[in-house]
Amino acid sequence: MLKRYFGVACVVALLTAGCGQTVQMQPFEAEPNTAEPCAALVAALPDTLLGADRATLQPESETMAAWGDPPIGLRCGVPRPSGLEMDSVLMEVGDVAWLPQPEDAPTVFTAVQREAYVELTVPTSYGAPAAALSEVSELVAEHLDERADSGG
């Protein structure tokens, strides 16, 4: 399980380029049929999140976004989280269920029970992630349909 969190932490690494900010994010193979709704979600994301400005991504992606330094990262269409079980404790924010990981001090939140899994990584330096989860939840609910099975 520790390996997963290390991998998530490595997904978002900050690089500086010229006067702007570029964030290197590890590409991933999106789940089938999620590209279009994920692109719509990412296009609707705000220019600022938790007071941090949106960054340019390297490589460019229609299914990922980042803000600030250290970067807040969002990836849409990621695989089902390995820690998601029938008895997992989920956080309800608006109309969206999130799986917080690790449970004791979460920095990675995955929206579940939607047509695409959305992973939001919020470094602890930003404090409580509630405002980011609230803002992203509104857009997830707007752009991603609930799963018919709602089984996670």
Side-chain angles (χ1 to χ4, degrees), residues 49-75:
L49 190 64
L50 294 179
D53 292 331
R54 195 154 172 180
T56 302
L57 291 184
Q58 192 60 271
E60 291 182 14
S61 173
E62 292 185 339
T63 59
M64 298 186 299
W67 300 260
D69 178 12
I72 299 166
L74 182 139
R75 301 185 320 151

Side-chain angles (χ1 to χ4, degrees), residues 9-64:
C10 292
V11 163
V12 183
L14 181 66
L15 300 174
T16 51
C19 61
Q21 172 179 307
T22 301
V23 172
Q24 179 76 35
M25 290 183 74
Q26 181 178 340
F28 62 98
E29 188 168 330
E31 292 293 304
N33 305 318
T34 63
E36 189 174 316
C38 283
L41 169 66
V42 170
L45 290 169
D47 291 334
T48 305
L49 190 64
L50 294 179
D53 292 331
R54 195 154 172 180
T56 302
L57 291 184
Q58 192 60 271
E60 291 182 14
S61 173
E62 292 185 339
T63 59
M64 298 186 299

